[in-house]
Amino acid sequence: MLQTTFATRTAKMQLNAIREILKVVNRPGMVSLAGGIPAPESFPLALMQDLTTTVLRNYGATALQYDATEGFAPLRQALVPHLAAKQVTASAEEILIFSGSQGVLDALGKILISPGDAVAVEAPTYVGALSAFNPYEPNYVQVETDEQGIIPAALEAALQRQPIKMIYLVPTFQNPTGRTMPLDRRQAVAAIIQQYGVLLVEDDPYSDLRYTGQALPPIKHFAPDHVVYVSTLSKTFAPGLRIGFCVAPGEIYRWLVIAKQGVDLHTSTFNQALAAEYLNGGYLQQQLPKILDIYRPRQQAMLAALDRYMPTGFRWTEPEGGMFLWMEGPDGLDTEEIYWRAVEKQMAFVPGKFFFAEPGMGNATMRLNYTMANEQTIDWAVRTLAEVIEEAGR
Ligand SMILES: Cc1ncc(COP(=O)(O)O)c(C=O)c1O
């Protein structure tokens, strides 16, 4: 009999409770507002053949060879103007390519978090970040948020209470709430992290998916030496290619490279070459408006349906971009109970409590995705959700 004992950290990787309850979502006929993935029709499928030919012509065997851990040089170069447009100043040598931004989060956990270290997160936060950090055994410090994201005074109070190893934030079109921190909050957080000398991980997968309003500079812009800026091409090219990247202050950059080397040596050279050609050929600029034209009306359909069908006592965010909105019902509502009732009617969403680092919060909240279903289906799903809520006596 196999005598394997698992590492103590393995217990921290406990099966994600969201995964467990979402298993039913793949049943035939289910309309899911639960997913967090891009619509397949947003992918530049027709372009892929040409990109593949271009990669083989331009790079030949190099695209199939081992490559530098830091990333494929033409992609790092192509990301310089991409980042500059977002007001992140970085040379190619300061950019590090990872297998998805998820890969960056894991590497940051690995090089920074010792068991018991405090990691400050928003309440609620991105569960994938918790999954990435959990094996390194942090103590989470949940910081209060409001409709404008993290509250700077609450962050400062947390920093005064205890030493914090790092802060993890999604300031733009946050997953799960869709909220965006306004300019003054970004500046306030930048000032706080500089004052306390603390590291911020700024995760920015969604800022390109802006449907209305003005783009905002990332916090990295205001405090470059205190922020690891993390982003991805998953939402604007193809998530299956696993192209994420970061810009990190010097010492952290060096250790990230060493950590990544031990994990996968480097991200797929071929996929990085595809990404380089996608950016260099100006295809992102061509594709992005098409992606926005798919998502914008879906978001509008969801907001209109919520207005039309939801009973009083419910409120929801109205994000200017991204893939999600966040709804909160009256005190005492249990959205996991609503979830199981909705599933019986072939409709699914994610109960919000799973996005909190500490148990017992967010019972009356839920995350709704509007990128995967078309407008008609979204209308049906929201109407069904409202009916289920009414039937449950709310
Ligand atoms: C906030 C956030 N960070 C990171 C990721 C992971 O993205 P990637 O595909 O680049 O690993 C996601 C994906 O949904 C996300 O919502």
Side-chain angles (χ1 to χ4, degrees):
M1 201 175 78
L2 187 63
Q3 296 284 330
T4 306
T5 53
F6 289 96
T8 47
R9 91 182 71 83
T10 310
K12 308 278 174 188
M13 301 183 202
Q14 60 200 249
L15 258 189
N16 191 326
I18 289 199
R19 285 245 161 96
E20 285 303 292
I21 80 153
L22 292 185
K23 272 184 182 161
V24 295
V25 166
N26 295 327
R27 281 188 201 155
M30 186 73 71
V31 171
S32 175
L33 306 183
I37 62 177
E41 58 271 32
S42 76
F43 302 152
L45 215 51
L47 178 68
M48 290 310 288
Q49 193 120 30
D50 284 352
L51 278 183
T52 304
T53 307
T54 309
V55 161
L56 292 173
R57 192 184 55 231
N58 289 359
Y59 305 112
T62 310
L64 303 173
Q65 186 54 284
Y66 283 119
D67 197 50
T69 302
E70 288 85 345
F72 189 57
L75 176 58
R76 295 165 83 202
Q77 199 61 54
L79 284 168
V80 172
H82 177 74
L83 285 164
K86 293 173 182 287
Q87 302 195 54
V88 175
T89 308
S91 67
E93 292 69 38
E94 292 169 307
I95 297 167
L96 182 46
I97 313 294
F98 271 86
S99 303
S101 40
Q102 197 67 27
V104 186
L105 300 179
D106 170 66
L108 285 167
K110 187 174 269 178
I111 66 166
L112 292 170
I113 304 172
S114 296
D117 278 350
V119 172
V121 296
E122 290 158 285
T125 189
Y126 169 53
V127 267
L130 301 179
S131 304
F133 301 151
N134 282 345
Y136 307 107
E137 304 179 54
N139 276 338
Y140 292 110
V141 174
Q142 289 204 125
V143 183
E144 205 186 331
T145 62
D146 62 15
E147 47 298 326
Q148 300 189 332
I150 201 161
I151 300 171
L155 178 63
E156 185 157 18
L159 287 162
Q160 282 166 353
R161 270 197 305 274
Q162 75 244 280
I164 285 185
K165 197 57 170 288
M166 68 182 196
I167 304 163
Y168 171 76
L169 297 182
V170 185
T172 307
F173 312 140
Q174 194 228 21
N175 181 358
T177 61
R179 286 173 188 150
T180 292
M181 286 170 65
L183 185 63
D184 56 341
R185 280 217 182 166
R186 290 168 191 250
Q187 289 166 326
V189 168
I192 290 168
I193 58 175
Q194 285 170 321
Q195 187 189 335
Y196 288 83
V198 64
L199 180 74
L200 168 68
V201 175
E202 179 175 30
D203 192 3
D204 185 27
Y206 298 112
S207 59
D208 282 332
L209 301 183
R210 176 173 278 283
Y211 314 125
T212 57
Q214 286 293 315
L216 290 163
I219 299 170
K220 175 78 173 170
H221 176 73
F222 301 110
D225 298 338
H226 291 74
V227 177
V228 178
Y229 178 83
V230 185
S231 191
T232 179
L233 295 183
S234 284
K235 317 297 173 181
T236 52
F237 186 18
L241 296 173
R242 310 306 299 129
I243 303 294
F245 48 92
C246 74
V247 181
E251 186 72 349
I252 292 173
Y253 183 97
R254 202 167 72 77
W255 284 107
L256 283 175
V257 175
I258 292 167
K260 182 173 169 62
Q261 204 154 33
V263 174
D264 60 359
L265 299 179
H266 62 80
T267 296
S268 156
T269 316
F270 195 82
N271 292 355
Q272 291 187 71
L274 288 171
E277 292 307 313
Y278 186 64
L279 295 175
N280 284 335
Y283 299 115
L284 173 61
Q285 277 93 329
Q286 286 173 26
Q287 189 65 15
L288 192 54
K290 295 183 195 163
I291 300 173
L292 300 183
D293 283 348
I294 298 169
Y295 294 162
R296 191 185 294 106
R298 293 182 178 185
Q299 193 212 43
Q300 284 166 353
M302 181 170 281
L303 290 170
L306 289 167
D307 268 337
R308 200 173 308 131
Y309 303 122
M310 275 299 145
T312 51
F314 282 77
R315 54 201 179 99
W316 50 88
T317 55
E318 298 192 12
E320 293 188 333
M323 298 184 17
F324 310 103
L325 61 79
W326 184 249
M327 183 153 75
E328 183 158 9
D331 284 349
L333 182 75
D334 175 1
T335 54
E336 189 173 350
E337 185 207 329
I338 301 293
Y339 171 81
W340 291 113
R341 286 171 179 262
V343 162
E344 277 174 30
K345 299 204 170 187
Q346 302 283 72
M347 180 274 166
F349 60 90
V350 188
K353 65 179 175 191
F354 295 110
F355 298 96
F356 291 83
E358 287 165 20
M361 295 178 73
N363 285 336
T365 60
M366 61 183 88
R367 187 191 76 176
L368 301 176
N369 164 272
Y370 48 76
T371 57
M372 278 297 283
N374 66 27
E375 290 89 313
Q376 249 182 329
T377 310
I378 285 175
D379 186 86
W380 175 87
V382 172
R383 179 152 49 88
T384 304
L385 175 61
E387 283 166 11
V388 168
I389 288 170
E390 302 266 15
E391 282 163 22
R394 289 287 155 192

